[in-house]
Amino acid sequence: MAGSELTNIKSPRVKAARRLTKRAFRDRDRSFLAEGPQAVREALALDGVVVELFATAEAELRHADVVTAATAAGVPLFRASGEVMAELAQTVTPQGLLAVCRFVHVPLNDSVTSDARLVAVLAHVRDPGNAGTVLRTADAAGADSVVFTDASVDPYNGKCVRASAGSLFHLPVTTGVHVTRVVEHLKGSGLRVLAADGAGKQTLDDMDLSGPTAWIFGNEAWGLPEEILELADDVVRVPIYGRAESLNLATAAAVCLYASARSQRTGPGAR
């Protein structure tokens, strides 16, 4: 169990954790914050990822399974006052659990291999909530990995971590690679590269998606630039049957990823 309660928001330990809300410090320390019982529980499932855990007295009782798992793994546990937790948390109503975690991303060669069947690539995606939702959707659709190009949001941004709902810890994630190198590696690994874009000449209904596929998703406001569209094997749009002008990024990604996942399980190339 935790020792004496941390009550001073200016204590060195609290300040060291709090600074991880800024990307520069995350990159320097190669650490980030995972907030809430779901994220902490999934982080603890990976050996050596959680460095320390902060918990309010109430959260210790409410989420005893998480605290027990942390203790069993030898993770230092610090009881935090409500004021300290409010200082550390990035949500309006903190759930009382927050972990300092080591970076979990892996090199591109390890996340995308010749066995990969479905990969999601985020290129120029800037909104952390959208990025985390796409990561969660890719996980749910059974994707092999998710790649954040060097022009996309930091996957360790607190909002992105929360939006992923623990999926950040479920599948290989690669970050910081230029999109040209990503596409070259995807094609070299035997994947067909499809760019999801509203200006695509082909619709999702036209595609045979039963083979190994990588989807590239672009910026929320202006989509994918021409140079990325030219790298793809095909540019594909999600058909709009009603009067909506378009779909938002996370919704379009969900439609595309699940179309591939379904085809790979029922189509000619199903295993």
Side-chain angles (χ1 to χ4, degrees):
M1 298 294 289
S4 59
E5 186 176 68
L6 290 170
T7 59
N8 185 0
I9 64 174
K10 296 183 179 180
S11 71
R13 187 171 301 281
V14 174
K15 290 173 69 174
R18 175 63 182 170
R19 71 182 185 177
L20 296 177
T21 58
K22 297 182 179 180
R23 184 168 188 170
F25 287 111
R26 291 197 295 269
D27 290 342
R28 192 181 81 171
D29 295 351
R30 298 190 63 76
S31 298
F32 67 102
L33 301 177
E35 183 181 342
Q38 175 65 17
V40 174
R41 187 178 290 110
E42 301 307 314
L44 285 167
L46 297 179
D47 186 42
V49 167
V50 178
V51 177
E52 56 190 20
L53 178 64
F54 295 87
T56 62
E58 180 184 5
E60 281 189 61
L61 296 175
R62 180 177 298 177
H63 306 293
D65 62 318
V66 178
V67 174
T68 298
T71 302
V75 175
L77 173 63
F78 302 99
R79 180 174 295 148
S81 68
E83 185 180 12
V84 166
M85 185 58 66
E87 177 72 11
L88 292 173
Q90 295 176 269
T91 54
V92 176
T93 307
Q95 298 180 67
L97 285 178
L98 183 141
V100 175
C101 302
R102 294 186 175 93
F103 279 3
V104 295
H105 62 260
V106 298
L108 183 62
N109 288 347
D110 295 333
S111 68
V112 180
T113 68
S114 59
D115 294 330
R117 298 279 296 171
L118 183 59
V119 175
V121 179
L122 282 70
H124 298 278
V125 174
R126 302 295 173 82
D127 181 83
N130 274 333
T133 301
V134 173
L135 176 53
R136 181 180 183 179
T137 302
D139 180 20
D144 296 283
S145 63
V146 176
V147 179
F148 286 68
T149 68
D150 56 0
S152 282
V153 67
D154 177 17
Y156 302 117
N157 175 290
K159 188 174 181 180
C160 185
V161 176
R162 292 192 301 276
S164 80
S167 290
L168 175 64
F169 305 105
H170 290 171
L171 75 173
V173 175
T174 294
T175 68
V177 186
H178 193 276
V179 66
T180 301
R181 180 170 172 247
V182 172
V183 172
E184 289 175 351
H185 183 76
L186 292 168
K187 292 182 177 180
S189 300
L191 289 109
R192 181 185 185 189
V193 178
L194 302 179
D197 193 270
K201 293 183 179 180
Q202 300 193 74
T203 73
L204 198 60
D205 294 342
D206 302 325
M207 308 301 294
D208 175 5
L209 300 172
S210 58
T213 302
W215 283 98
I216 304 179
F217 304 108
N219 182 268
E220 294 83 355
W222 40 265
L224 290 165
E226 189 63 32
E227 57 268 26
I228 294 180
L229 297 178
E230 291 176 354
L231 293 173
D233 293 310
D234 288 292
V235 180
V236 184
R237 73 179 189 276
V238 176
I240 302 294
Y241 302 121
R243 297 174 61 187
E245 179 186 3
S246 62
L247 295 173
N248 66 27
L249 169 66
T251 302
V255 172
C256 294
L257 290 168
Y258 265 89
S260 284
R262 184 177 184 277
S263 292
Q264 288 178 3
R265 285 160 175 76
T266 61
R271 294 189 295 188

